[in-house]
Amino acid sequence: MSKYSMAQVVSLTGINSHTLRKWESRYDFLVPERTDTNIRYYTDAQLKKLLNISILRSQGVRLSAIGKMTDEEIHKMVEDALIESNQDANVNALVLSMINLDEQEFDNIIKSQILKNGILTTFTEVIYPFLHKVGVLWGINKIMPAQEHFVSNLIRQKICSAIDLLPIAPKNAPKIILFLAEGENHEIGLLLAQFIAKQLGWRVFYLGQNVPHDNVITMAELVKPNYLLTFFVTTTPSAVEEKVFKLSSEAKTPLLFSGSPINFEPNNNMVTYLKSPTDLITILEAELSHT
């Protein structure tokens, strides 16, 4: 059984700590456990219940009504609510389906969002925030590698299928090289960037994961792209900073990068940190308008 601190539950559910404490004092369905030093923690079952409650609350269901429901009734109402729910609710539902290894539920949520909002909005407003929460769980060792691989492969299949449906850009379109540096293997963000760039009409040169530094430089010399783009999972700022500036200076090409939170601000106009897919879309659209 996993144990989650209040800060971790807040990050995963979107329910703030003040609200959690208030619910604890008013309702008996949420009674966190306590350590020997009297610090609150929440169990797997409580996290799942709070994720479900967050979904129902986003649909306007009163907490007093939720408190009277059985777990089965809550699950049924959540299932019905997801048809018309907002993005935050669906993100939490994806977290639940991952924890439960429920491929059918995961697939249902993604398909319904694509039908309702389109592929790009689903990727940027549902899958991207979901991956952030997966990163939170991964960082605090609350999911097994098998769970992370399970959802990563499902998402990878969806993105690759969407990419395959896009046309190849004309030869005079702006060009971008996408790659992961040596030692970097988490490809989902890079695939999402490939979809965004191709949909906007860019020529994409996708090199994949764990690409040697010299290969990137050689490709930049051959292709002469408008941008390079990469992602880092590495959280050591000095290590990332060294790689970023070495790449941009030797390739003589503007570099876009993203991934795990980075604790330094690039002071070089050849390097841009992307905080979200929206940042990437803004940059690529601006470049298109100048060509």
Side-chain angles (χ1 to χ4, degrees):
M1 180 183 70
S2 295
K3 297 179 180 180
Y4 304 86
S5 69
M6 178 172 282
Q8 290 164 354
V9 167
V10 168
S11 181
L12 290 166
T13 65
I15 304 168
N16 65 51
S17 56
H18 173 73
T19 299
L20 287 171
R21 291 190 183 95
K22 185 168 67 174
W23 290 358
E24 179 186 340
S25 65
R26 292 185 182 180
Y27 304 99
D28 59 7
F29 65 81
L30 180 64
V31 182
E33 306 291 332
R34 298 273 181 170
T35 66
D36 294 339
T37 53
N38 204 36
I39 297 174
R40 289 177 177 83
Y41 71 86
Y42 299 83
T43 64
D44 284 321
Q46 288 168 331
L47 173 63
K48 290 178 183 179
K49 188 156 193 172
L50 283 168
L51 286 166
N52 278 323
I53 288 171
S54 178
I55 293 169
L56 294 180
R57 289 280 291 165
S58 72
Q59 295 300 106
V61 181
R62 295 176 63 86
L63 195 64
S64 55
I66 298 172
K68 297 174 184 177
M69 296 179 189
T70 64
D71 287 343
E72 290 73 20
E73 289 171 333
I74 289 175
H75 293 160
K76 179 63 171 64
M77 183 170 281
V78 165
E79 187 177 307
D80 294 339
L82 286 176
I83 297 172
E84 297 297 331
S85 60
N86 58 28
Q87 275 83 9
D88 288 343
N90 279 284
V91 171
N92 283 341
L94 288 176
V95 173
L96 274 171
S97 66
M98 177 190 66
I99 293 172
N100 294 326
L101 295 176
D102 189 339
E103 180 177 357
Q104 187 62 62
E105 181 63 17
F106 192 95
D107 192 61
N108 289 343
I109 295 166
I110 297 299
K111 284 181 177 176
S112 67
Q113 285 298 296
I114 289 174
L115 286 172
K116 182 179 177 183
N117 299 309
I119 293 175
L120 183 58
T121 298
T122 299
F123 285 167
T124 58
E125 297 186 13
V126 178
I127 290 179
Y128 183 82
F130 163 71
L131 290 173
H132 171 73
K133 293 197 176 187
V134 172
V136 171
L137 285 165
W138 181 261
I140 60 177
N141 296 318
K142 299 305 183 185
I143 57 171
M144 299 181 296
Q147 289 171 308
E148 191 267 344
H149 292 315
F150 168 75
V151 296
S152 292
N153 283 322
L154 292 178
I155 293 171
R156 191 181 192 283
Q157 291 167 19
K158 299 292 184 190
I159 299 177
C160 287
S161 296
I163 290 170
D164 284 343
L165 296 175
L166 296 173
I168 297 174
K171 290 187 177 181
N172 63 346
K175 295 171 285 189
I176 185 168
I177 293 176
L178 274 59
F179 67 97
L180 296 181
E182 288 182 275
E184 297 287 346
N185 296 291
H186 288 74
E187 203 175 7
I188 299 299
L190 200 70
L191 286 168
L192 177 55
Q194 182 184 16
F195 173 81
I196 290 171
K198 284 198 72 173
Q199 189 181 61
L200 290 175
W202 280 64
R203 287 187 69 191
V204 177
F205 295 82
Y206 191 89
L207 307 186
Q209 52 194 304
N210 202 28
V211 181
H213 175 84
D214 291 346
N215 289 15
V216 177
I217 303 306
T218 300
M219 278 295 293
E221 291 171 351
L222 291 171
V223 172
K224 295 180 172 53
N226 301 69
Y227 288 105
L228 303 174
L229 188 151
T230 191
F231 285 75
F232 292 98
V233 172
T234 306
T235 55
T236 307
S238 58
V240 173
E241 186 171 10
E242 181 182 350
K243 289 181 180 179
V244 161
F245 289 116
K246 185 179 180 183
L247 279 165
S248 64
S249 61
E250 293 188 15
K252 299 179 176 60
T253 305
L255 174 68
L256 309 174
F257 75 104
S258 189
S260 297
I262 306 299
N263 296 320
F264 75 90
E265 286 293 331
N267 56 5
N268 184 327
N269 59 10
M270 292 286 284
V271 176
T272 304
Y273 177 63
L274 304 173
K275 296 179 181 178
S276 72
T278 304
D279 288 350
L280 175 60
I281 293 169
T282 299
I283 290 171
L284 298 187
E285 287 183 336
E287 187 73 23
L288 284 170
S289 69
H290 296 145
T291 58

mmCIF file with all atom_site columns, all heavy atoms in Angstrom, residues 13 16 28 38 96 98 110 125-126 165 175 177 189-190 202 209 214 246-247 254-255 268 289:
data_model
loop_
_atom_site.group_PDB
_atom_site.id
_atom_site.type_symbol
_atom_site.label_atom_id
_atom_site.label_alt_id
_atom_site.label_comp_id
_atom_site.label_asym_id
_atom_site.label_entity_id
_atom_site.label_seq_id
_atom_site.pdbx_PDB_ins_code
_atom_site.Cartn_x
_atom_site.Cartn_y
_atom_site.Cartn_z
_atom_site.occupancy
_atom_site.B_iso_or_equiv
_atom_site.pdbx_formal_charge
_atom_site.auth_seq_id
_atom_site.auth_comp_id
_atom_site.auth_asym_id
_atom_site.auth_atom_id
_atom_site.pdbx_PDB_model_num
ATOM 1   N N   . THR A 1 13  ? -4.741  15.594 -7.403  1.00 0.00 ? 13  THR A N   1
ATOM 2   C CA  . THR A 1 13  ? -6.195  15.726 -7.522  1.00 0.00 ? 13  THR A CA  1
ATOM 3   C C   . THR A 1 13  ? -6.659  17.141 -7.862  1.00 0.00 ? 13  THR A C   1
ATOM 4   O O   . THR A 1 13  ? -7.762  17.326 -8.361  1.00 0.00 ? 13  THR A O   1
ATOM 5   C CB  . THR A 1 13  ? -6.890  15.325 -6.208  1.00 0.00 ? 13  THR A CB  1
ATOM 6   O OG1 . THR A 1 13  ? -6.513  16.258 -5.169  1.00 0.00 ? 13  THR A OG1 1
ATOM 7   C CG2 . THR A 1 13  ? -6.508  13.907 -5.790  1.00 0.00 ? 13  THR A CG2 1
ATOM 8   N N   . ASN A 1 16  ? -7.292  21.594 -3.038  1.00 0.00 ? 16  ASN A N   1
ATOM 9   C CA  . ASN A 1 16  ? -6.287  22.254 -2.204  1.00 0.00 ? 16  ASN A CA  1
ATOM 10  C C   . ASN A 1 16  ? -6.296  21.748 -0.760  1.00 0.00 ? 16  ASN A C   1
ATOM 11  O O   . ASN A 1 16  ? -7.255  21.117 -0.307  1.00 0.00 ? 16  ASN A O   1
ATOM 12  C CB  . ASN A 1 16  ? -6.425  23.783 -2.262  1.00 0.00 ? 16  ASN A CB  1
ATOM 13  C CG  . ASN A 1 16  ? -7.738  24.278 -1.658  1.00 0.00 ? 16  ASN A CG  1
ATOM 14  O OD1 . ASN A 1 16  ? -8.093  23.927 -0.542  1.00 0.00 ? 16  ASN A OD1 1
ATOM 15  N ND2 . ASN A 1 16  ? -8.453  25.101 -2.420  1.00 0.00 ? 16  ASN A ND2 1
ATOM 16  N N   . ASP A 1 28  ? -17.165 11.948 7.269   1.00 0.00 ? 28  ASP A N   1
ATOM 17  C CA  . ASP A 1 28  ? -16.440 10.774 7.764   1.00 0.00 ? 28  ASP A CA  1
ATOM 18  C C   . ASP A 1 28  ? -15.947 9.865  6.641   1.00 0.00 ? 28  ASP A C   1
ATOM 19  O O   . ASP A 1 28  ? -15.346 8.828  6.910   1.00 0.00 ? 28  ASP A O   1
ATOM 20  C CB  . ASP A 1 28  ? -17.304 9.968  8.735   1.00 0.00 ? 28  ASP A CB  1
ATOM 21  C CG  . ASP A 1 28  ? -18.603 9.484  8.109   1.00 0.00 ? 28  ASP A CG  1
ATOM 22  O OD1 . ASP A 1 28  ? -18.771 9.659  6.886   1.00 0.00 ? 28  ASP A OD1 1
ATOM 23  O OD2 . ASP A 1 28  ? -19.447 8.937  8.845   1.00 0.00 ? 28  ASP A OD2 1
ATOM 24  N N   . ASN A 1 38  ? 2.292   11.936 13.927  1.00 0.00 ? 38  ASN A N   1
ATOM 25  C CA  . ASN A 1 38  ? 1.018   12.632 13.721  1.00 0.00 ? 38  ASN A CA  1
ATOM 26  C C   . ASN A 1 38  ? 0.944   13.437 12.422  1.00 0.00 ? 38  ASN A C   1
ATOM 27  O O   . ASN A 1 38  ? 0.216   14.431 12.331  1.00 0.00 ? 38  ASN A O   1
ATOM 28  C CB  . ASN A 1 38  ? 0.705   13.558 14.918  1.00 0.00 ? 38  ASN A CB  1
ATOM 29  C CG  . ASN A 1 38  ? -0.798  13.832 15.034  1.00 0.00 ? 38  ASN A CG  1
ATOM 30  O OD1 . ASN A 1 38  ? -1.624  12.946 14.769  1.00 0.00 ? 38  ASN A OD1 1
ATOM 31  N ND2 . ASN A 1 38  ? -1.157  15.047 15.414  1.00 0.00 ? 38  ASN A ND2 1
ATOM 32  N N   . LEU A 1 96  ? -6.763  7.458  -12.865 1.00 0.00 ? 96  LEU A N   1
ATOM 33  C CA  . LEU A 1 96  ? -7.426  6.288  -12.270 1.00 0.00 ? 96  LEU A CA  1
ATOM 34  C C   . LEU A 1 96  ? -7.295  5.058  -13.156 1.00 0.00 ? 96  LEU A C   1
ATOM 35  O O   . LEU A 1 96  ? -7.006  3.956  -12.672 1.00 0.00 ? 96  LEU A O   1
ATOM 36  C CB  . LEU A 1 96  ? -8.908  6.594  -12.033 1.00 0.00 ? 96  LEU A CB  1
ATOM 37  C CG  . LEU A 1 96  ? -9.278  7.273  -10.722 1.00 0.00 ? 96  LEU A CG  1
ATOM 38  C CD1 . LEU A 1 96  ? -10.735 7.702  -10.741 1.00 0.00 ? 96  LEU A CD1 1
ATOM 39  C CD2 . LEU A 1 96  ? -9.021  6.342  -9.545  1.00 0.00 ? 96  LEU A CD2 1
ATOM 40  N N   . MET A 1 98  ? -5.011  4.409  -15.250 1.00 0.00 ? 98  MET A N   1
ATOM 41  C CA  . MET A 1 98  ? -3.627  3.942  -15.207 1.00 0.00 ? 98  MET A CA  1
ATOM 42  C C   . MET A 1 98  ? -3.360  3.140  -13.935 1.00 0.00 ? 98  MET A C   1
ATOM 43  O O   . MET A 1 98  ? -2.779  2.047  -13.989 1.00 0.00 ? 98  MET A O   1
ATOM 44  C CB  . MET A 1 98  ? -2.664  5.120  -15.270 1.00 0.00 ? 98  MET A CB  1
ATOM 45  C CG  . MET A 1 98  ? -1.197  4.710  -15.146 1.00 0.00 ? 98  MET A CG  1
ATOM 46  S SD  . MET A 1 98  ? -0.086  6.119  -14.919 1.00 0.00 ? 98  MET A SD  1
ATOM 47  C CE  . MET A 1 98  ? -0.605  6.706  -13.305 1.00 0.00 ? 98  MET A CE  1
ATOM 48  N N   . ILE A 1 110 ? -10.001 8.719  -24.124 1.00 0.00 ? 110 ILE A N   1
ATOM 49  C CA  . ILE A 1 110 ? -9.256  9.370  -25.206 1.00 0.00 ? 110 ILE A CA  1
ATOM 50  C C   . ILE A 1 110 ? -10.128 9.505  -26.454 1.00 0.00 ? 110 ILE A C   1
ATOM 51  O O   . ILE A 1 110 ? -10.179 10.573 -27.077 1.00 0.00 ? 110 ILE A O   1
ATOM 52  C CB  . ILE A 1 110 ? -7.974  8.583  -25.538 1.00 0.00 ? 110 ILE A CB  1
ATOM 53  C CG1 . ILE A 1 110 ? -7.024  8.548  -24.332 1.00 0.00 ? 110 ILE A CG1 1
ATOM 54  C CG2 . ILE A 1 110 ? -7.276  9.188  -26.753 1.00 0.00 ? 110 ILE A CG2 1
ATOM 55  C CD1 . ILE A 1 110 ? -6.550  9.901  -23.883 1.00 0.00 ? 110 ILE A CD1 1
ATOM 56  N N   . GLU A 1 125 ? -4.506  19.436 -24.065 1.00 0.00 ? 125 GLU A N   1
ATOM 57  C CA  . GLU A 1 125 ? -5.256  19.804 -22.858 1.00 0.00 ? 125 GLU A CA  1
ATOM 58  C C   . GLU A 1 125 ? -5.654  18.619 -21.988 1.00 0.00 ? 125 GLU A C   1
ATOM 59  O O   . GLU A 1 125 ? -6.112  18.807 -20.864 1.00 0.00 ? 125 GLU A O   1
ATOM 60  C CB  . GLU A 1 125 ? -6.506  20.607 -23.247 1.00 0.00 ? 125 GLU A CB  1
ATOM 61  C CG  . GLU A 1 125 ? -6.161  21.930 -23.923 1.00 0.00 ? 125 GLU A CG  1
ATOM 62  C CD  . GLU A 1 125 ? -7.386  22.788 -24.168 1.00 0.00 ? 125 GLU A CD  1
ATOM 63  O OE1 . GLU A 1 125 ? -8.460  22.490 -23.608 1.00 0.00 ? 125 GLU A OE1 1
ATOM 64  O OE2 . GLU A 1 125 ? -7.266  23.758 -24.944 1.00 0.00 ? 125 GLU A OE2 1
ATOM 65  N N   . VAL A 1 126 ? -5.489  17.409 -22.491 1.00 0.00 ? 126 VAL A N   1
ATOM 66  C CA  . VAL A 1 126 ? -5.815  16.220 -21.684 1.00 0.00 ? 126 VAL A CA  1
ATOM 67  C C   . VAL A 1 126 ? -4.579  15.339 -21.490 1.00 0.00 ? 126 VAL A C   1
ATOM 68  O O   . VAL A 1 126 ? -4.162  15.076 -20.361 1.00 0.00 ? 126 VAL A O   1
ATOM 69  C CB  . VAL A 1 126 ? -6.960  15.398 -22.318 1.00 0.00 ? 126 VAL A CB  1
ATOM 70  C CG1 . VAL A 1 126 ? -7.237  14.138 -21.487 1.00 0.00 ? 126 VAL A CG1 1
ATOM 71  C CG2 . VAL A 1 126 ? -8.232  16.241 -22.417 1.00 0.00 ? 126 VAL A CG2 1
ATOM 72  N N   . LEU A 1 165 ? -1.686  9.904  -40.340 1.00 0.00 ? 165 LEU A N   1
ATOM 73  C CA  . LEU A 1 165 ? -2.766  10.452 -41.156 1.00 0.00 ? 165 LEU A CA  1
ATOM 74  C C   . LEU A 1 165 ? -2.440  11.833 -41.735 1.00 0.00 ? 165 LEU A C   1
ATOM 75  O O   . LEU A 1 165 ? -3.170  12.332 -42.588 1.00 0.00 ? 165 LEU A O   1
ATOM 76  C CB  . LEU A 1 165 ? -4.052  10.545 -40.321 1.00 0.00 ? 165 LEU A CB  1
ATOM 77  C CG  . LEU A 1 165 ? -4.646  9.211  -39.834 1.00 0.00 ? 165 LEU A CG  1
ATOM 78  C CD1 . LEU A 1 165 ? -5.840  9.469  -38.920 1.00 0.00 ? 165 LEU A CD1 1
ATOM 79  C CD2 . LEU A 1 165 ? -5.050  8.335  -41.015 1.00 0.00 ? 165 LEU A CD2 1
ATOM 80  N N   . LYS A 1 175 ? 11.752  23.810 -41.609 1.00 0.00 ? 175 LYS A N   1
ATOM 81  C CA  . LYS A 1 175 ? 12.214  22.490 -41.183 1.00 0.00 ? 175 LYS A CA  1
ATOM 82  C C   . LYS A 1 175 ? 12.572  22.477 -39.695 1.00 0.00 ? 175 LYS A C   1
ATOM 83  O O   . LYS A 1 175 ? 13.095  23.473 -39.166 1.00 0.00 ? 175 LYS A O   1
ATOM 84  C CB  . LYS A 1 175 ? 13.441  22.087 -42.011 1.00 0.00 ? 175 LYS A CB  1
ATOM 85  C CG  . LYS A 1 175 ? 13.146  21.897 -43.489 1.00 0.00 ? 175 LYS A CG  1
ATOM 86  C CD  . LYS A 1 175 ? 14.408  21.726 -44.313 1.00 0.00 ? 175 LYS A CD  1
ATOM 87  C CE  . LYS A 1 175 ? 15.139  23.027 -44.498 1.00 0.00 ? 175 LYS A CE  1
ATOM 88  N NZ  . LYS A 1 175 ? 16.251  22.928 -45.473 1.00 0.00 ? 175 LYS A NZ  1
ATOM 89  N N   . ILE A 1 177 ? 14.241  19.645 -36.657 1.00 0.00 ? 177 ILE A N   1
ATOM 90  C CA  . ILE A 1 177 ? 14.803  18.342 -36.295 1.00 0.00 ? 177 ILE A CA  1
ATOM 91  C C   . ILE A 1 177 ? 14.385  18.027 -34.860 1.00 0.00 ? 177 ILE A C   1
ATOM 92  O O   . ILE A 1 177 ? 14.617  18.830 -33.948 1.00 0.00 ? 177 ILE A O   1
ATOM 93  C CB  . ILE A 1 177 ? 16.331  18.332 -36.412 1.00 0.00 ? 177 ILE A CB  1
ATOM 94  C CG1 . ILE A 1 177 ? 16.762  18.466 -37.874 1.00 0.00 ? 177 ILE A CG1 1
ATOM 95  C CG2 . ILE A 1 177 ? 16.918  17.042 -35.816 1.00 0.00 ? 177 ILE A CG2 1
ATOM 96  C CD1 . ILE A 1 177 ? 18.267  18.566 -38.072 1.00 0.00 ? 177 ILE A CD1 1
ATOM 97  N N   . GLY A 1 189 ? 6.646   13.045 -25.287 1.00 0.00 ? 189 GLY A N   1
ATOM 98  C CA  . GLY A 1 189 ? 6.640   14.481 -25.548 1.00 0.00 ? 189 GLY A CA  1
ATOM 99  C C   . GLY A 1 189 ? 7.164   14.810 -26.935 1.00 0.00 ? 189 GLY A C   1
ATOM 100 O O   . GLY A 1 189 ? 6.643   15.701 -27.609 1.00 0.00 ? 189 GLY A O   1
ATOM 101 N N   . LEU A 1 190 ? 8.183   14.104 -27.365 1.00 0.00 ? 190 LEU A N   1
ATOM 102 C CA  . LEU A 1 190 ? 8.759   14.323 -28.684 1.00 0.00 ? 190 LEU A CA  1
ATOM 103 C C   . LEU A 1 190 ? 7.781   13.935 -29.787 1.00 0.00 ? 190 LEU A C   1
ATOM 104 O O   . LEU A 1 190 ? 7.669   14.614 -30.806 1.00 0.00 ? 190 LEU A O   1
ATOM 105 C CB  . LEU A 1 190 ? 10.057  13.520 -28.822 1.00 0.00 ? 190 LEU A CB  1
ATOM 106 C CG  . LEU A 1 190 ? 11.018  13.975 -29.924 1.00 0.00 ? 190 LEU A CG  1
ATOM 107 C CD1 . LEU A 1 190 ? 11.639  15.324 -29.568 1.00 0.00 ? 190 LEU A CD1 1
ATOM 108 C CD2 . LEU A 1 190 ? 12.121  12.943 -30.140 1.00 0.00 ? 190 LEU A CD2 1
ATOM 109 N N   . TRP A 1 202 ? 4.975   21.846 -41.079 1.00 0.00 ? 202 TRP A N   1
ATOM 110 C CA  . TRP A 1 202 ? 6.438   21.851 -41.054 1.00 0.00 ? 202 TRP A CA  1
ATOM 111 C C   . TRP A 1 202 ? 6.991   20.546 -41.609 1.00 0.00 ? 202 TRP A C   1
ATOM 112 O O   . TRP A 1 202 ? 6.361   19.491 -41.506 1.00 0.00 ? 202 TRP A O   1
ATOM 113 C CB  . TRP A 1 202 ? 6.927   22.015 -39.613 1.00 0.00 ? 202 TRP A CB  1
ATOM 114 C CG  . TRP A 1 202 ? 6.878   23.435 -39.130 1.00 0.00 ? 202 TRP A CG  1
ATOM 115 C CD1 . TRP A 1 202 ? 5.770   24.204 -38.955 1.00 0.00 ? 202 TRP A CD1 1
ATOM 116 C CD2 . TRP A 1 202 ? 7.991   24.235 -38.745 1.00 0.00 ? 202 TRP A CD2 1
ATOM 117 N NE1 . TRP A 1 202 ? 6.116   25.443 -38.494 1.00 0.00 ? 202 TRP A NE1 1
ATOM 118 C CE2 . TRP A 1 202 ? 7.484   25.495 -38.349 1.00 0.00 ? 202 TRP A CE2 1
ATOM 119 C CE3 . TRP A 1 202 ? 9.365   24.026 -38.696 1.00 0.00 ? 202 TRP A CE3 1
ATOM 120 C CZ2 . TRP A 1 202 ? 8.303   26.528 -37.914 1.00 0.00 ? 202 TRP A CZ2 1
ATOM 121 C CZ3 . TRP A 1 202 ? 10.193  25.051 -38.254 1.00 0.00 ? 202 TRP A CZ3 1
ATOM 122 C CH2 . TRP A 1 202 ? 9.661   26.295 -37.871 1.00 0.00 ? 202 TRP A CH2 1
ATOM 123 N N   . GLN A 1 209 ? 15.004  8.583  -30.103 1.00 0.00 ? 209 GLN A N   1
ATOM 124 C CA  . GLN A 1 209 ? 15.600  8.667  -28.776 1.00 0.00 ? 209 GLN A CA  1
ATOM 125 C C   . GLN A 1 209 ? 17.075  8.284  -28.780 1.00 0.00 ? 209 GLN A C   1
ATOM 126 O O   . GLN A 1 209 ? 17.560  7.625  -29.692 1.00 0.00 ? 209 GLN A O   1
ATOM 127 C CB  . GLN A 1 209 ? 14.829  7.753  -27.817 1.00 0.00 ? 209 GLN A CB  1
ATOM 128 C CG  . GLN A 1 209 ? 14.662  6.327  -28.306 1.00 0.00 ? 209 GLN A CG  1
ATOM 129 C CD  . GLN A 1 209 ? 13.639  5.558  -27.511 1.00 0.00 ? 209 GLN A CD  1
ATOM 130 O OE1 . GLN A 1 209 ? 13.758  5.460  -26.304 1.00 0.00 ? 209 GLN A OE1 1
ATOM 131 N NE2 . GLN A 1 209 ? 12.632  5.012  -28.161 1.00 0.00 ? 209 GLN A NE2 1
ATOM 132 N N   . ASP A 1 214 ? 27.114  14.001 -31.899 1.00 0.00 ? 214 ASP A N   1
ATOM 133 C CA  . ASP A 1 214 ? 27.711  14.246 -33.218 1.00 0.00 ? 214 ASP A CA  1
ATOM 134 C C   . ASP A 1 214 ? 26.713  14.017 -34.352 1.00 0.00 ? 214 ASP A C   1
ATOM 135 O O   . ASP A 1 214 ? 26.766  14.696 -35.384 1.00 0.00 ? 214 ASP A O   1
ATOM 136 C CB  . ASP A 1 214 ? 28.936  13.350 -33.429 1.00 0.00 ? 214 ASP A CB  1
ATOM 137 C CG  . ASP A 1 214 ? 30.105  13.754 -32.529 1.00 0.00 ? 214 ASP A CG  1
ATOM 138 O OD1 . ASP A 1 214 ? 30.049  14.863 -31.970 1.00 0.00 ? 214 ASP A OD1 1
ATOM 139 O OD2 . ASP A 1 214 ? 31.057  12.962 -32.395 1.00 0.00 ? 214 ASP A OD2 1
ATOM 140 N N   . LYS A 1 246 ? 25.761  23.527 -25.505 1.00 0.00 ? 246 LYS A N   1
ATOM 141 C CA  . LYS A 1 246 ? 26.680  22.848 -26.421 1.00 0.00 ? 246 LYS A CA  1
ATOM 142 C C   . LYS A 1 246 ? 25.977  22.530 -27.745 1.00 0.00 ? 246 LYS A C   1
ATOM 143 O O   . LYS A 1 246 ? 26.522  22.744 -28.830 1.00 0.00 ? 246 LYS A O   1
ATOM 144 C CB  . LYS A 1 246 ? 27.200  21.565 -25.778 1.00 0.00 ? 246 LYS A CB  1
ATOM 145 C CG  . LYS A 1 246 ? 28.253  20.853 -26.619 1.00 0.00 ? 246 LYS A CG  1
ATOM 146 C CD  . LYS A 1 246 ? 28.767  19.595 -25.924 1.00 0.00 ? 246 LYS A CD  1
ATOM 147 C CE  . LYS A 1 246 ? 29.814  18.899 -26.789 1.00 0.00 ? 246 LYS A CE  1
ATOM 148 N NZ  . LYS A 1 246 ? 30.301  17.638 -26.193 1.00 0.00 ? 246 LYS A NZ  1
ATOM 149 N N   . LEU A 1 247 ? 24.730  22.049 -27.652 1.00 0.00 ? 247 LEU A N   1
ATOM 150 C CA  . LEU A 1 247 ? 23.959  21.724 -28.856 1.00 0.00 ? 247 LEU A CA  1
ATOM 151 C C   . LEU A 1 247 ? 23.707  22.956 -29.710 1.00 0.00 ? 247 LEU A C   1
ATOM 152 O O   . LEU A 1 247 ? 23.940  22.958 -30.920 1.00 0.00 ? 247 LEU A O   1
ATOM 153 C CB  . LEU A 1 247 ? 22.623  21.083 -28.464 1.00 0.00 ? 247 LEU A CB  1
ATOM 154 C CG  . LEU A 1 247 ? 22.627  19.610 -28.125 1.00 0.00 ? 247 LEU A CG  1
ATOM 155 C CD1 . LEU A 1 247 ? 21.331  19.222 -27.408 1.00 0.00 ? 247 LEU A CD1 1
ATOM 156 C CD2 . LEU A 1 247 ? 22.790  18.769 -29.392 1.00 0.00 ? 247 LEU A CD2 1
ATOM 157 N N   . PRO A 1 254 ? 18.868  27.613 -33.685 1.00 0.00 ? 254 PRO A N   1
ATOM 158 C CA  . PRO A 1 254 ? 18.048  27.835 -32.492 1.00 0.00 ? 254 PRO A CA  1
ATOM 159 C C   . PRO A 1 254 ? 17.537  26.509 -31.933 1.00 0.00 ? 254 PRO A C   1
ATOM 160 O O   . PRO A 1 254 ? 17.089  25.642 -32.691 1.00 0.00 ? 254 PRO A O   1
ATOM 161 C CB  . PRO A 1 254 ? 16.897  28.709 -33.010 1.00 0.00 ? 254 PRO A CB  1
ATOM 162 C CG  . PRO A 1 254 ? 17.449  29.375 -34.222 1.00 0.00 ? 254 PRO A CG  1
ATOM 163 C CD  . PRO A 1 254 ? 18.382  28.390 -34.842 1.00 0.00 ? 254 PRO A CD  1
ATOM 164 N N   . LEU A 1 255 ? 17.598  26.377 -30.619 1.00 0.00 ? 255 LEU A N   1
ATOM 165 C CA  . LEU A 1 255 ? 17.208  25.136 -29.949 1.00 0.00 ? 255 LEU A CA  1
ATOM 166 C C   . LEU A 1 255 ? 15.997  25.383 -29.058 1.00 0.00 ? 255 LEU A C   1
ATOM 167 O O   . LEU A 1 255 ? 15.990  26.295 -28.228 1.00 0.00 ? 255 LEU A O   1
ATOM 168 C CB  . LEU A 1 255 ? 18.355  24.601 -29.105 1.00 0.00 ? 255 LEU A CB  1
ATOM 169 C CG  . LEU A 1 255 ? 18.048  23.382 -28.234 1.00 0.00 ? 255 LEU A CG  1
ATOM 170 C CD1 . LEU A 1 255 ? 17.781  22.145 -29.095 1.00 0.00 ? 255 LEU A CD1 1
ATOM 171 C CD2 . LEU A 1 255 ? 19.184  23.103 -27.256 1.00 0.00 ? 255 LEU A CD2 1
ATOM 172 N N   . ASN A 1 268 ? 20.219  33.195 -23.592 1.00 0.00 ? 268 ASN A N   1
ATOM 173 C CA  . ASN A 1 268 ? 20.753  33.178 -24.953 1.00 0.00 ? 268 ASN A CA  1
ATOM 174 C C   . ASN A 1 268 ? 19.571  33.115 -25.910 1.00 0.00 ? 268 ASN A C   1
ATOM 175 O O   . ASN A 1 268 ? 18.707  32.248 -25.766 1.00 0.00 ? 268 ASN A O   1
ATOM 176 C CB  . ASN A 1 268 ? 21.652  31.938 -25.109 1.00 0.00 ? 268 ASN A CB  1
ATOM 177 C CG  . ASN A 1 268 ? 22.333  31.869 -26.455 1.00 0.00 ? 268 ASN A CG  1
ATOM 178 O OD1 . ASN A 1 268 ? 21.779  32.299 -27.459 1.00 0.00 ? 268 ASN A OD1 1
ATOM 179 N ND2 . ASN A 1 268 ? 23.526  31.298 -26.474 1.00 0.00 ? 268 ASN A ND2 1
ATOM 180 N N   . SER A 1 289 ? 4.394   32.371 -40.416 1.00 0.00 ? 289 SER A N   1
ATOM 181 C CA  . SER A 1 289 ? 3.883   33.650 -40.910 1.00 0.00 ? 289 SER A CA  1
ATOM 182 C C   . SER A 1 289 ? 4.972   34.492 -41.575 1.00 0.00 ? 289 SER A C   1
ATOM 183 O O   . SER A 1 289 ? 4.671   35.433 -42.322 1.00 0.00 ? 289 SER A O   1
ATOM 184 C CB  . SER A 1 289 ? 3.256   34.439 -39.754 1.00 0.00 ? 289 SER A CB  1
ATOM 185 O OG  . SER A 1 289 ? 4.253   34.887 -38.833 1.00 0.00 ? 289 SER A OG  1
#
